[in-house]
Amino acid sequence: MHTSNPHPNKSALQENEGIEQPNITNAQAIKRFQERRRKKINTEEIINRIIQQDKVALSQAITLVESLNLQHHSQAEQIIQGCLPYANKSIRIGITGVPGVGKSTFIEAFGKLLTSLGKKVAVLAIDPSSSVTGGSILGDKTRMEDLVKDENAYIRPSASGDSLGGVARKTRESIILCEACGFDTILVETVGVGQSETAVHSMVDFFLLLNLAGAGDELQGIKRGIMEMADAVIINKADGENINKAQQAKLEYNRALHLFPKKASDWTPKVRTCSALQNTGILEVWNLIQDYINLTKENTYFENRRKEQNQYWMMETINENILMRFYNDPIIKQQIVHNKKAVQNSEISPFAAAQDILKLYFKE
């Protein structure tokens, strides 16, 4: 039997009228919320709160420091300057390693050990940024679910952006803020072993390289440069059937490290094995770091290196600010767009186009 369609112009794919939501928030409440969002953070107040070990204020300050908004730069500099007298009283440890080595698991086990010893631990975890979208997952707090709940720990994930060396653009300033907030042990987790780890090495006291055993030719998988910078090589996941492989890898690394030139610190890099999953060998790693700190403080290398690092970051800040001002200049922005099109159409060589832009900038 044929029945006519009462709605001949309608189909299953259609938009129905929605149900009007009840007004659960009054206009005054919305206005107050928006005003709070727009309200500028008081510089003196946030400095005082950081010194009083307020983690919320610390996070707000780091957000200001990392901001690409030029209006935030002046306030961020004032906050850093106000916190500086309370900084430089921590041990800074850089942690890097091959992908899948278990950096997050190791840092959680290591951090929990340190807090159990009465330490206050700040973890500055750097996540890689996508070269396509520029986004980052920032999932370190999820991976360190026990440490994140520890009152004596603070975890701050940041995106690496376009920075080299596997560190975020403002990690150095974040370290100062964490120290002013009372954290006496700073762990800087890098993206992973890359071509340039100089950046993280230049902001920490002890550089720790995590590696795996049985993942192919161990020495071939690591660049010589990163091995020369490492103060210790830790073979993680030394458990179960992997224990013998870890011991073999330890012997190989020990032989390799003895071929490198003597360090200016007079420290001989050590190789240890551990299992972050089973929480074995973690205390030995901390004892190793303490031996290094005691040695370098006694022979004055620790203090002299901190001074050299401050000079290095002064020059890096100059370079960064020059680049930022250059690329934020409205006339330069316009000229770059124009010259890009000219280069694409082969009207001018890339080198001549670059020189043209530079001449315009310096002429200004």
Side-chain angles (χ1 to χ4, degrees), residues 331-346:
I331 296 175
I332 296 301
K333 279 184 178 179
Q334 189 176 358
Q335 191 65 35
I336 286 175
V337 172
H338 178 269
N339 283 21
K340 276 184 175 179
K341 290 179 181 176
V343 168
Q344 285 176 342
N345 296 329
S346 299

Side-chain angles (χ1 to χ4, degrees), residues 205-206 231 265 267 287-297 301-302 305:
D205 306 310
F206 190 92
D231 296 303
S265 60
W267 170 259
N287 291 336
L288 192 70
I289 294 171
Q290 286 184 304
D291 289 343
Y292 172 87
I293 299 301
N294 292 335
L295 172 69
T296 53
K297 283 190 172 181
Y301 176 82
F302 185 94
R305 177 157 170 75

Side-chain angles (χ1 to χ4, degrees), residues 144-169:
M144 304 178 198
E145 57 183 22
D146 289 332
L147 188 61
V148 77
K149 292 180 283 191
D150 195 313
E151 290 185 3
N152 290 317
Y154 172 77
I155 301 174
R156 173 72 184 205
S158 298
S160 64
D162 55 2
S163 300
L164 291 176
V167 292
R169 192 174 57 88

Side-chain angles (χ1 to χ4, degrees), residues 203-253:
M203 66 175 71
V204 297
D205 306 310
F206 190 92
F207 195 59
L208 187 68
L209 172 62
L210 287 176
N211 202 24
L212 290 170
D217 188 342
E218 281 81 7
L219 300 183
Q220 197 65 22
I222 298 291
K223 300 293 182 184
R224 177 187 169 111
I226 192 77
M227 287 285 290
E228 287 180 326
M229 285 189 287
D231 296 303
V233 177
I234 308 300
I235 313 298
N236 193 23
K237 301 186 180 180
D239 46 47
E241 297 178 357
N242 213 31
I243 292 177
N244 291 334
K245 292 179 181 177
Q247 290 297 329
Q248 182 60 36
K250 178 181 175 181
L251 292 173
E252 291 181 18
Y253 277 113

Side-chain angles (χ1 to χ4, degrees), residues 2-23:
H2 177 75
T3 57
S4 60
N5 186 353
H7 305 289
N9 296 325
K10 288 190 176 183
S11 71
L13 299 174
Q14 60 183 337
E15 183 178 346
N16 294 322
E17 288 187 13
I19 300 171
E20 187 176 345
Q21 294 294 323
N23 187 11

Side-chain angles (χ1 to χ4, degrees), residues 129-135:
S129 295
S130 167
S131 59
V132 179
T133 64

